[in-house]
Amino acid sequence: RTALTVIRNSAVEVGLPLFDRTSRKVSLTTVGEYLLAYTRRVLVAMRDAEGYYYIVDRAKDMIISGGYNIFPSEIEQIIWSHEGVRDCAVVGIPDDKWGEAVTAVVELKADASVSGEEILRLCRARLGPLKTPKHVEFWSELPRSAVGKVLKSRIRDRFWATHGSRI
């Protein structure tokens, strides 16, 4: 059984395991002390049956669609696996029926030709209908910080600019 946990931290990278599965050297207690010592960002973690935590995503990136919590990092991993994709970001955009609709914004590699339907088929096959994006947009370039990190806030802002408030 897994438990959803919110952890505040700035020292742990999203998507990386918090312990070495082979050696099992980092215990839950050690992780807890470490995380409590460096508190800045809110991260969502899952606890496995053995009591170890895995960072799933940042809480601010979580999409709430029809009452379900959807984590963009899981969807992004699938989209990145496509050979024509250079980078992508998955965000929630306003949706009158569901609150937020899962949307993939994709930057293709040079000379790649990929359709939105290809991305949707890939996601549907590996994630099922709930996590499959409802929309796919192709941008020539995703907004990035000075160090090259994709700025999801700018992507979200573009979709939410004409909508009164964010969820």
Side-chain angles (χ1 to χ4, degrees):
R1 189 171 117 163
T2 58
L4 186 64
T5 306
V6 176
I7 300 170
R8 291 187 177 276
N9 181 284
S10 65
V12 177
E13 286 296 317
V14 172
L16 297 177
L18 296 178
F19 72 102
D20 181 346
R21 256 196 189 280
T22 308
S23 68
R24 301 209 183 273
K25 288 189 177 180
V26 179
S27 69
L28 177 60
T29 305
T30 305
V31 171
E33 290 169 0
Y34 180 75
L35 292 174
L36 292 174
Y38 301 94
T39 303
R40 284 208 184 114
R41 287 196 181 101
V42 178
L43 303 175
V44 178
M46 298 295 286
R47 188 176 66 158
D48 68 12
E50 298 170 2
Y52 291 100
Y53 284 86
Y54 295 87
I55 300 299
V56 177
D57 215 331
R58 292 191 171 118
K60 71 177 183 176
D61 290 339
M62 183 173 62
I63 299 166
I64 302 172
S65 184
Y68 290 96
N69 296 336
I70 300 168
F71 300 102
S73 60
E74 183 180 7
I75 302 164
E76 290 164 350
Q77 293 293 326
I78 300 301
I79 296 171
W80 285 325
S81 73
H82 191 289
E83 63 185 17
V85 173
R86 178 174 183 258
D87 208 349
C88 71
V90 173
V91 298
I93 67 168
D95 186 272
D96 291 334
K97 183 176 181 180
W98 301 109
E100 290 182 289
V102 178
T103 301
V105 180
V106 179
E107 181 181 334
L108 297 177
K109 291 179 181 173
D111 300 324
S113 178
V114 179
S115 71
E117 188 53 41
E118 278 181 77
I119 300 295
L120 294 175
R121 271 196 310 269
L122 176 67
C123 291
R124 210 174 288 120
R126 293 166 95 186
L127 297 169
L130 178 66
K131 297 178 183 177
T132 296
K134 304 298 181 244
H135 312 280
V136 177
E137 285 198 11
F138 294 96
W139 292 10
S140 59
E141 191 173 20
L142 296 177
R144 297 182 193 283
S145 69
V147 296
K149 180 183 175 217
V150 173
L151 297 172
K152 284 189 178 184
S153 60
R154 287 220 191 128
I155 296 170
R156 274 192 296 271
D157 289 349
R158 177 172 169 228
F159 292 107
W160 286 90
T162 58
H163 200 269
S165 64
R166 292 237 15 241
I167 290 178

